[in-house]
Amino acid sequence: MAGGIAAAVPAALFVAAAGTALHRQQLLLPGVVLPWGAVAALVLLGSVQLLLGAAFRSVIPTAACGLLCYVLAGLWSTLEPGKRLIAGDFPGYTWIYGIAGVTVLMLVWCRRYRVLRPPA
């Protein structure tokens, strides 16, 4: 379990930084703005959490990654104006609240990878 948490910490740092940098990307079409960056950031988070859950056969690294990523993104969204990395707009809300949603989905999905120990 300690190895899974040790792997989840740098993974969460990477996902939080990359997702925060990515979440503001938009595709401008005539009359429509598509915030693809927030969706791509959430796909990145989900794939890293899935990798952690499958590699360590536990939901604990998945939960640790999601929790740390959510805490970091929350801290970066509450900085004083001018230093804030995540603004209070649609892509920002999608990234912040999507972290919680993707983490719950990955926890449910990664339950299938856990190792069941026989009763003693």
Side-chain angles (χ1 to χ4, degrees), residues 14-111:
F14 168 73
V15 170
T20 298
L22 185 62
H23 86 279
R24 298 288 302 165
Q25 301 300 314
Q26 298 176 347
L27 178 63
L28 301 173
L29 298 175
V32 177
V33 177
L34 298 174
W36 68 269
V39 174
L42 293 172
V43 169
L44 174 66
L45 173 65
S47 63
V48 168
Q49 288 178 327
L50 183 63
L51 175 70
L52 288 168
F56 292 98
R57 301 222 173 261
S58 173
V59 296
I60 293 174
T62 302
C65 179
L67 181 66
L68 184 57
C69 187
Y70 190 76
V71 167
L72 287 171
L75 286 174
W76 293 335
S77 68
T78 59
L79 295 174
E80 61 190 45
K83 295 183 180 181
R84 189 171 297 153
L85 298 177
I86 301 172
D89 55 358
F90 182 70
Y93 289 140
T94 304
W95 172 229
I96 292 290
Y97 296 119
I99 292 171
V102 167
T103 298
V104 168
L105 286 173
M106 288 300 109
L107 286 173
V108 170
W109 186 265
C110 289
R111 281 182 37 179

